[in-house]
Amino acid sequence: GDYLQTSQQEILSSKPNYQKVLDEQGEVLSCMELVLNELQQAVKLLQ
Amino acid sequence: SVNPMAYEAQFFGFTPQTCMLRIYIAFQDYLFEMMQLVESVILKKLDGFPDCKISPSEIRKSTEKFLLFMKEHFDKLFSKMEEVLLQLVLNIPKNVLLPEDKVHEQYPYSKEQFQELQEEIQQLQQQYKAEAAAGQALRAELEEQKAVQTELEKILKWFEGLENICREHGTSNFKESFAFLTQNAKKLQDVLKDVEEKSR
Amino acid sequence: GRSQLFATVVDTFLEKLVAAGSYQRFASCYRRFYKLQPQVTKSIYEQFISQLQSSVREEIEEVKAEGNLEKLFSSLDKIVEEAKNREEPAWRPSGVPEEDTGSAMLPYLLKHRAFLLRILGEKQQENSRAAEAVLAGRGRIRELQQLIEDHRQAWQ
């Protein structure tokens, strides 16, 4: 909180949650796993 | 009212009055010592004249008489000397500023202005500390960003890798190929159905 | 100069003291002895005066040496000469140490303030550059997130 009264207080107080950004990528990869599984099953069925 | 001559004491390292007192006591002591010596010499000389009727007490009275006279004049003369020395020699005139005090005239700040300056300095120090902390926080975020960017770029590269594999195996547009495959499978099913009906 | 004046004043004092304690006065106090031994009286008196004068002068020299007065007198004469065109009274210590040390501290405080202003400005500039890099980094991360999302949506 010391730096909140500085020349960069706006930037510092709007820092994104980088952990959340990385956690979201976990969701993306889980989603891709599902999509590829579905595709694989569909292609097997078609075959 | 006694003038303590503090400014003179600052310059000389002693108060002028103390100096004069020391001199006075020393001079007075010498006068007494000399008179004692004179008396003892006279008494010694008188020992050489056993028939003379001058007694030691008479000599003592003479010594005291002369000493009293000398002391009176001594005090008067010393007082005058002291006055002259304190006024003209061991003094600093009112318009004179000692070199070590020049700063007081160069920077005439009032008590309030001085306090304001001190507060301003304190504030600047706090501001600097805050800016230093902000700088550290910004640099820490840059390091975090590097790590996050690396991870995101890895994931992006993975997608690109996946798409490259599809392209290498002849499927540049997976959606179209899949649609085509589905269509063909359906056609095949229809043909098979046809053939089965006709053979029945 | 003060040194000369000091010597003159002491010499005058001695002269007048010797004049007051004249031989006539000495002899009149020791009248009977003077009548008995006039020559001896004269001799004793002369030695007394001589010894007194040399003791006084020695004491003055000692005081001058101990207090380094010659140098101080010369220095003070110079300082007084430099201030001869000044009529108004000069600054004197107020007797309140807090106030007096305050004004002696002033040049250092002013220097310190100037120094703080300078380094604060430099720090703020440095932070401004770092902030630009941070904003650029945030932008890049948003870009990457969007690209990944686009790919995901396309696959989905």
Side-chain angles (χ1 to χ4, degrees):
Chain A
D2 278 350
Y3 46 68
L4 289 180
Q5 298 299 320
T6 67
S7 54
Q8 306 304 332
Q9 72 182 80
E10 257 188 63
I11 292 177
L12 288 167
S13 56
S14 62
K15 181 181 166 184
N17 186 344
Y18 291 113
Q19 191 55 56
K20 193 166 170 223
V21 166
L22 291 178
D23 291 343
E24 280 166 4
Q25 302 315 309
E27 285 171 29
V28 166
L29 293 174
S30 304
C31 172
M32 282 305 297
E33 197 182 0
L34 284 172
V35 163
L36 290 175
N37 278 340
E38 267 190 45
L39 267 175
Q40 195 184 38
Q41 282 177 22
V43 167
K44 273 190 182 153
L45 200 63
L46 284 170
Q47 204 179 34
Chain B
S1 58
V2 174
N3 176 8
M5 297 185 87
Y7 207 47
E8 285 77 5
Q10 180 182 319
F11 178 77
F12 286 108
F14 52 81
T15 51
Q17 295 94 326
T18 309
C19 179
M20 294 314 300
L21 183 65
R22 178 221 162 121
I23 295 172
Y24 176 82
I25 291 170
F27 284 11
Q28 193 180 242
D29 286 350
Y30 290 136
L31 183 62
F32 288 1
E33 269 170 40
M34 295 301 119
M35 285 311 305
Q36 258 184 332
L37 205 58
V38 161
E39 189 184 76
S40 65
V41 165
I42 292 175
L43 286 172
K44 223 175 185 171
K45 294 288 180 197
L46 280 178
D47 286 344
F49 297 89
D51 297 328
C52 85
K53 291 187 180 103
I54 305 172
S55 65
S57 65
E58 215 179 310
I59 298 298
R60 171 49 60 97
K61 276 200 180 109
S62 303
T63 307
E64 280 172 358
K65 190 177 170 186
F66 186 67
L67 183 58
L68 192 68
F69 175 81
M70 284 297 280
K71 181 81 168 52
E72 261 180 50
H73 279 84
F74 171 84
D75 284 343
K76 254 188 234 163
L77 291 169
F78 192 91
S79 175
K80 283 207 177 94
M81 177 172 82
E82 185 180 34
E83 205 181 309
V84 171
L85 289 179
L86 289 182
Q87 278 183 7
L88 298 178
V89 176
L90 296 170
N91 89 317
I92 298 176
K94 283 195 167 40
N95 66 323
V96 168
L97 181 71
L98 295 177
E100 65 259 31
D101 291 329
K102 271 207 174 84
V103 70
H104 298 286
E105 289 205 337
Q106 270 173 355
Y107 299 98
Y109 259 56
S110 70
K111 200 173 166 187
E112 291 74 27
Q113 285 173 316
F114 186 78
Q115 213 169 333
E116 273 176 32
L117 180 61
Q118 280 186 310
E119 281 168 11
E120 188 186 342
I121 285 173
Q122 221 174 357
Q123 209 183 357
L124 285 170
Q125 280 171 332
Q126 303 275 51
Q127 259 184 288
Y128 181 79
K129 272 192 204 160
E131 287 291 336
Q136 259 186 324
L138 288 169
R139 282 187 292 278
E141 187 174 336
L142 282 172
E143 288 303 309
E144 264 188 89
Q145 282 179 351
K146 262 190 217 157
V148 170
Q149 276 180 28
T150 307
E151 287 307 309
L152 294 180
E153 277 162 3
K154 262 193 225 169
I155 294 171
L156 202 59
K157 218 170 180 166
W158 179 82
F159 273 110
E160 286 165 6
L162 185 65
E163 282 147 22
N164 280 343
I165 290 170
C166 296
R167 253 192 298 277
E168 274 164 28
H169 287 80
T171 319
S172 57
N173 188 337
F174 214 97
K175 200 172 176 180
E176 271 180 26
S177 309
F178 197 74
F180 179 72
L181 198 60
T182 316
Q183 226 174 22
N184 276 354
K186 193 145 195 316
K187 272 188 192 161
L188 210 56
Q189 270 186 330
D190 290 341
V191 163
L192 199 63
K193 217 174 169 182
D194 238 351
V195 165
E196 275 180 4
E197 262 183 39
K198 281 193 176 137
S199 83
R200 215 178 291 125
Chain C
R2 278 168 166 71
S3 186
Q4 188 64 44
L5 190 53
F6 189 74
T8 305
V9 168
V10 170
D11 286 343
T12 309
F13 164 80
L14 273 175
E15 256 176 55
K16 292 201 162 143
L17 189 65
V18 166
S22 62
Y23 175 61
Q24 284 80 10
R25 176 70 62 173
F26 184 80
S28 84
C29 288
Y30 291 98
R31 197 183 305 116
R32 288 191 73 189
F33 183 77
Y34 164 71
K35 281 201 173 126
L36 187 68
Q37 292 282 306
Q39 293 298 336
V40 172
T41 308
K42 179 93 176 154
S43 165
I44 291 173
Y45 170 79
E46 279 168 359
Q47 275 186 52
F48 159 72
I49 290 298
S50 163
Q51 199 61 41
L52 185 67
Q53 281 178 325
S54 63
S55 297
V56 160
R57 289 208 166 89
E58 257 176 50
E59 178 65 22
I60 291 295
E61 287 311 306
E62 216 177 284
V63 166
K64 276 162 75 171
E66 272 179 30
N68 198 17
L69 290 184
E70 286 290 343
K71 207 172 169 196
L72 289 175
F73 286 155
S74 159
S75 171
L76 186 55
D77 286 337
K78 224 189 267 176
I79 295 169
V80 168
E81 176 65 22
E82 280 165 13
K84 70 177 177 209
N85 293 328
R86 185 202 170 113
E87 281 178 18
E88 70 276 15
W91 178 88
R92 285 290 183 266
S94 66
V96 180
E98 200 185 54
E99 276 183 34
D100 295 346
T101 47
S103 53
M105 287 277 292
L106 215 50
Y108 302 103
L109 290 181
L110 290 172
K111 248 193 206 166
H112 189 45
R113 181 179 70 173
F115 168 74
L116 285 173
L117 282 167
R118 183 175 62 82
I119 61 168
L120 181 63
E122 282 169 9
K123 204 53 160 178
Q124 284 172 333
Q125 272 187 1
E126 198 184 294
N127 286 355
S128 173
R129 287 192 291 271
E132 271 179 39
V134 161
L135 284 176
R138 287 182 191 177
R140 175 73 186 137
I141 286 172
R142 279 195 294 273
E143 252 178 55
L144 288 170
Q145 280 179 294
Q146 191 57 55
L147 283 171
I148 290 170
E149 181 58 21
D150 291 345
H151 280 283
R152 186 192 67 81
Q153 280 187 5
W155 275 98
Q156 198 153 25

mmCIF file of all heavy atoms in Angstrom, chain B residues 80-106:
data_model
loop_
_atom_site.group_PDB
_atom_site.id
_atom_site.type_symbol
_atom_site.label_atom_id
_atom_site.label_comp_id
_atom_site.label_asym_id
_atom_site.label_seq_id
_atom_site.Cartn_x
_atom_site.Cartn_y
_atom_site.Cartn_z
ATOM 1 N N LYS B 80 41.273 51.186 35.405
ATOM 2 C CA LYS B 80 41.288 51.958 34.147
ATOM 3 C C LYS B 80 41.791 51.077 33.008
ATOM 4 O O LYS B 80 41.242 51.077 31.910
ATOM 5 C CB LYS B 80 42.202 53.175 34.286
ATOM 6 C CG LYS B 80 41.629 54.303 35.064
ATOM 7 C CD LYS B 80 42.232 55.654 34.642
ATOM 8 C CE LYS B 80 41.571 56.780 35.397
ATOM 9 N NZ LYS B 80 42.292 57.169 36.619
ATOM 10 N N MET B 81 42.850 50.327 33.305
ATOM 11 C CA MET B 81 43.423 49.454 32.265
ATOM 12 C C MET B 81 42.370 48.426 31.823
ATOM 13 O O MET B 81 42.188 48.176 30.623
ATOM 14 C CB MET B 81 44.657 48.731 32.810
ATOM 15 C CG MET B 81 45.256 47.763 31.795
ATOM 16 S SD MET B 81 46.819 47.058 32.288
ATOM 17 C CE MET B 81 46.341 45.740 33.347
ATOM 18 N N GLU B 82 41.667 47.876 32.789
ATOM 19 C CA GLU B 82 40.647 46.862 32.480
ATOM 20 C C GLU B 82 39.574 47.451 31.572
ATOM 21 O O GLU B 82 39.158 46.824 30.593
ATOM 22 C CB GLU B 82 40.023 46.348 33.782
ATOM 23 C CG GLU B 82 39.051 45.204 33.563
ATOM 24 C CD GLU B 82 38.443 44.725 34.871
ATOM 25 O OE1 GLU B 82 38.220 45.554 35.778
ATOM 26 O OE2 GLU B 82 38.171 43.527 34.986
ATOM 27 N N GLU B 83 39.143 48.671 31.912
ATOM 28 C CA GLU B 83 38.106 49.320 31.111
ATOM 29 C C GLU B 83 38.553 49.463 29.664
ATOM 30 O O GLU B 83 37.817 49.120 28.734
ATOM 31 C CB GLU B 83 37.833 50.701 31.714
ATOM 32 C CG GLU B 83 36.448 51.224 31.420
ATOM 33 C CD GLU B 83 36.252 52.608 32.028
ATOM 34 O OE1 GLU B 83 36.536 52.759 33.243
ATOM 35 O OE2 GLU B 83 35.848 53.514 31.290
ATOM 36 N N VAL B 84 39.760 49.948 29.489
ATOM 37 C CA VAL B 84 40.264 50.159 28.124
ATOM 38 C C VAL B 84 40.380 48.828 27.389
ATOM 39 O O VAL B 84 39.967 48.702 26.234
ATOM 40 C CB VAL B 84 41.637 50.874 28.162
ATOM 41 C CG1 VAL B 84 42.265 50.899 26.780
ATOM 42 C CG2 VAL B 84 41.478 52.283 28.692
ATOM 43 N N LEU B 85 40.929 47.832 28.054
ATOM 44 C CA LEU B 85 41.116 46.536 27.387
ATOM 45 C C LEU B 85 39.776 45.897 27.024
ATOM 46 O O LEU B 85 39.622 45.354 25.928
ATOM 47 C CB LEU B 85 41.929 45.594 28.275
ATOM 48 C CG LEU B 85 43.408 45.940 28.437
ATOM 49 C CD1 LEU B 85 44.109 44.946 29.353
ATOM 50 C CD2 LEU B 85 44.133 45.992 27.105
ATOM 51 N N LEU B 86 38.801 45.996 27.924
ATOM 52 C CA LEU B 86 37.503 45.370 27.637
ATOM 53 C C LEU B 86 36.756 46.108 26.525
ATOM 54 O O LEU B 86 36.005 45.508 25.780
ATOM 55 C CB LEU B 86 36.635 45.328 28.899
ATOM 56 C CG LEU B 86 37.075 44.344 29.987
ATOM 57 C CD1 LEU B 86 36.104 44.378 31.167
ATOM 58 C CD2 LEU B 86 37.161 42.921 29.445
ATOM 59 N N GLN B 87 36.979 47.414 26.431
ATOM 60 C CA GLN B 87 36.244 48.178 25.423
ATOM 61 C C GLN B 87 36.920 48.199 24.072
ATOM 62 O O GLN B 87 36.254 48.249 23.046
ATOM 63 C CB GLN B 87 36.063 49.617 25.906
ATOM 64 C CG GLN B 87 34.907 49.766 26.851
ATOM 65 C CD GLN B 87 34.703 51.209 27.271
ATOM 66 O OE1 GLN B 87 35.350 52.129 26.760
ATOM 67 N NE2 GLN B 87 33.811 51.408 28.214
ATOM 68 N N LEU B 88 38.237 48.175 24.082
ATOM 69 C CA LEU B 88 38.931 48.397 22.806
ATOM 70 C C LEU B 88 39.725 47.202 22.292
ATOM 71 O O LEU B 88 39.996 47.124 21.100
ATOM 72 C CB LEU B 88 39.891 49.594 22.940
ATOM 73 C CG LEU B 88 39.224 50.929 23.255
ATOM 74 C CD1 LEU B 88 40.277 52.014 23.412
ATOM 75 C CD2 LEU B 88 38.236 51.325 22.170
ATOM 76 N N VAL B 89 40.126 46.319 23.188
ATOM 77 C CA VAL B 89 40.998 45.230 22.743
ATOM 78 C C VAL B 89 40.260 43.886 22.745
ATOM 79 O O VAL B 89 40.219 43.178 21.745
ATOM 80 C CB VAL B 89 42.265 45.141 23.624
ATOM 81 C CG1 VAL B 89 43.120 43.953 23.214
ATOM 82 C CG2 VAL B 89 43.060 46.423 23.535
ATOM 83 N N LEU B 90 39.687 43.564 23.898
ATOM 84 C CA LEU B 90 39.042 42.237 24.044
ATOM 85 C C LEU B 90 37.561 42.301 23.732
ATOM 86 O O LEU B 90 36.754 41.622 24.376
ATOM 87 C CB LEU B 90 39.251 41.723 25.481
ATOM 88 C CG LEU B 90 40.707 41.466 25.869
ATOM 89 C CD1 LEU B 90 40.821 41.205 27.371
ATOM 90 C CD2 LEU B 90 41.287 40.292 25.099
ATOM 91 N N ASN B 91 37.204 43.105 22.735
ATOM 92 C CA ASN B 91 35.773 43.165 22.421
ATOM 93 C C ASN B 91 35.562 43.010 20.920
ATOM 94 O O ASN B 91 36.479 43.202 20.119
ATOM 95 C CB ASN B 91 35.176 44.486 22.913
ATOM 96 C CG ASN B 91 35.278 45.555 21.854
ATOM 97 O OD1 ASN B 91 36.314 45.692 21.200
ATOM 98 N ND2 ASN B 91 34.225 46.303 21.650
ATOM 99 N N ILE B 92 34.334 42.645 20.561
ATOM 100 C CA ILE B 92 33.966 42.552 19.145
ATOM 101 C C ILE B 92 32.888 43.600 18.904
ATOM 102 O O ILE B 92 31.820 43.531 19.520
ATOM 103 C CB ILE B 92 33.427 41.156 18.815
ATOM 104 C CG1 ILE B 92 34.507 40.098 19.074
ATOM 105 C CG2 ILE B 92 32.969 41.080 17.362
ATOM 106 C CD1 ILE B 92 34.063 38.684 18.871
ATOM 107 N N PRO B 93 33.152 44.566 18.047
ATOM 108 C CA PRO B 93 32.163 45.625 17.804
ATOM 109 C C PRO B 93 30.835 45.057 17.320
ATOM 110 O O PRO B 93 30.794 43.985 16.714
ATOM 111 C CB PRO B 93 32.809 46.472 16.706
ATOM 112 C CG PRO B 93 34.254 46.165 16.779
ATOM 113 C CD PRO B 93 34.365 44.762 17.258
ATOM 114 N N LYS B 94 29.760 45.813 17.573
ATOM 115 C CA LYS B 94 28.405 45.310 17.283
ATOM 116 C C LYS B 94 28.175 45.034 15.800
ATOM 117 O O LYS B 94 27.360 44.187 15.453
ATOM 118 C CB LYS B 94 27.356 46.304 17.777
ATOM 119 C CG LYS B 94 27.155 46.256 19.268
ATOM 120 C CD LYS B 94 25.879 46.959 19.681
ATOM 121 C CE LYS B 94 25.454 46.676 21.114
ATOM 122 N NZ LYS B 94 26.500 46.620 22.107
ATOM 123 N N ASN B 95 28.896 45.739 14.925
ATOM 124 C CA ASN B 95 28.652 45.563 13.493
ATOM 125 C C ASN B 95 29.484 44.424 12.899
ATOM 126 O O ASN B 95 29.425 44.167 11.702
ATOM 127 C CB ASN B 95 28.978 46.859 12.745
ATOM 128 C CG ASN B 95 30.458 47.180 12.824
ATOM 129 O OD1 ASN B 95 31.088 46.931 13.868
ATOM 130 N ND2 ASN B 95 31.038 47.722 11.765
ATOM 131 N N VAL B 96 30.246 43.749 13.751
ATOM 132 C CA VAL B 96 31.146 42.709 13.251
ATOM 133 C C VAL B 96 30.531 41.334 13.439
ATOM 134 O O VAL B 96 30.035 41.003 14.524
ATOM 135 C CB VAL B 96 32.505 42.786 13.977
ATOM 136 C CG1 VAL B 96 33.351 41.553 13.692
ATOM 137 C CG2 VAL B 96 33.244 44.040 13.558
ATOM 138 N N LEU B 97 30.589 40.560 12.354
ATOM 139 C CA LEU B 97 30.101 39.174 12.408
ATOM 140 C C LEU B 97 31.308 38.262 12.229
ATOM 141 O O LEU B 97 32.090 38.436 11.306
ATOM 142 C CB LEU B 97 29.097 38.947 11.282
ATOM 143 C CG LEU B 97 28.466 37.557 11.203
ATOM 144 C CD1 LEU B 97 27.492 37.343 12.354
ATOM 145 C CD2 LEU B 97 27.736 37.372 9.872
ATOM 146 N N LEU B 98 31.428 37.289 13.108
ATOM 147 C CA LEU B 98 32.550 36.353 12.983
ATOM 148 C C LEU B 98 32.345 35.465 11.756
ATOM 149 O O LEU B 98 31.201 35.144 11.421
ATOM 150 C CB LEU B 98 32.667 35.500 14.246
ATOM 151 C CG LEU B 98 33.030 36.270 15.511
ATOM 152 C CD1 LEU B 98 33.045 35.343 16.720
ATOM 153 C CD2 LEU B 98 34.392 36.950 15.370
ATOM 154 N N PRO B 99 33.438 35.070 11.080
ATOM 155 C CA PRO B 99 33.308 34.290 9.847
ATOM 156 C C PRO B 99 32.462 33.022 10.010
ATOM 157 O O PRO B 99 31.680 32.689 9.143
ATOM 158 C CB PRO B 99 34.748 33.923 9.502
ATOM 159 C CG PRO B 99 35.581 34.921 10.197
ATOM 160 C CD PRO B 99 34.843 35.341 11.419
ATOM 161 N N GLU B 100 32.604 32.361 11.153
ATOM 162 C CA GLU B 100 31.858 31.096 11.321
ATOM 163 C C GLU B 100 30.354 31.320 11.428
ATOM 164 O O GLU B 100 29.583 30.368 11.365
ATOM 165 C CB GLU B 100 32.345 30.325 12.564
ATOM 166 C CG GLU B 100 32.091 30.998 13.892
ATOM 167 C CD GLU B 100 33.332 31.687 14.451
ATOM 168 O OE1 GLU B 100 34.153 32.142 13.636
ATOM 169 O OE2 GLU B 100 33.459 31.768 15.674
ATOM 170 N N ASP B 101 29.938 32.587 11.598
ATOM 171 C CA ASP B 101 28.512 32.868 11.721
ATOM 172 C C ASP B 101 27.913 33.457 10.451
ATOM 173 O O ASP B 101 26.749 33.857 10.445
ATOM 174 C CB ASP B 101 28.260 33.831 12.889
ATOM 175 C CG ASP B 101 28.531 33.178 14.227
ATOM 176 O OD1 ASP B 101 28.333 31.958 14.336
ATOM 177 O OD2 ASP B 101 28.954 33.892 15.161
ATOM 178 N N LYS B 102 28.707 33.483 9.369
ATOM 179 C CA LYS B 102 28.204 34.086 8.120
ATOM 180 C C LYS B 102 26.916 33.406 7.679
ATOM 181 O O LYS B 102 26.035 34.029 7.115
ATOM 182 C CB LYS B 102 29.244 33.930 7.012
ATOM 183 C CG LYS B 102 30.224 35.061 6.947
ATOM 184 C CD LYS B 102 30.794 35.255 5.539
ATOM 185 C CE LYS B 102 31.665 36.500 5.504
ATOM 186 N NZ LYS B 102 33.049 36.294 5.958
ATOM 187 N N VAL B 103 26.824 32.109 7.950
ATOM 188 C CA VAL B 103 25.669 31.341 7.478
ATOM 189 C C VAL B 103 24.349 31.891 8.044
ATOM 190 O O VAL B 103 23.311 31.833 7.397
ATOM 191 C CB VAL B 103 25.859 29.850 7.849
ATOM 192 C CG1 VAL B 103 25.727 29.620 9.346
ATOM 193 C CG2 VAL B 103 24.893 28.984 7.103
ATOM 194 N N HIS B 104 24.415 32.475 9.243
ATOM 195 C CA HIS B 104 23.187 32.988 9.834
ATOM 196 C C HIS B 104 22.664 34.215 9.104
ATOM 197 O O HIS B 104 21.461 34.470 9.107
ATOM 198 C CB HIS B 104 23.416 33.339 11.307
ATOM 199 C CG HIS B 104 23.793 32.158 12.136
ATOM 200 N ND1 HIS B 104 22.876 31.192 12.494
ATOM 201 C CD2 HIS B 104 24.974 31.764 12.658
ATOM 202 C CE1 HIS B 104 23.485 30.256 13.203
ATOM 203 N NE2 HIS B 104 24.750 30.580 13.315
ATOM 204 N N GLU B 105 23.563 34.953 8.472
ATOM 205 C CA GLU B 105 23.102 36.120 7.715
ATOM 206 C C GLU B 105 22.815 35.752 6.268
ATOM 207 O O GLU B 105 21.985 36.374 5.621
ATOM 208 C CB GLU B 105 24.150 37.232 7.775
ATOM 209 C CG GLU B 105 24.220 37.855 9.155
ATOM 210 C CD GLU B 105 24.736 39.277 9.147
ATOM 211 O OE1 GLU B 105 25.439 39.666 8.207
ATOM 212 O OE2 GLU B 105 24.411 40.007 10.093
ATOM 213 N N GLN B 106 23.476 34.719 5.777
ATOM 214 C CA GLN B 106 23.228 34.305 4.388
ATOM 215 C C GLN B 106 21.856 33.645 4.265
ATOM 216 O O GLN B 106 21.227 33.692 3.235
ATOM 217 C CB GLN B 106 24.272 33.269 3.952
ATOM 218 C CG GLN B 106 25.495 33.874 3.344
ATOM 219 C CD GLN B 106 26.567 32.829 3.082
ATOM 220 O OE1 GLN B 106 26.427 31.678 3.442
ATOM 221 N NE2 GLN B 106 27.621 33.241 2.456
#
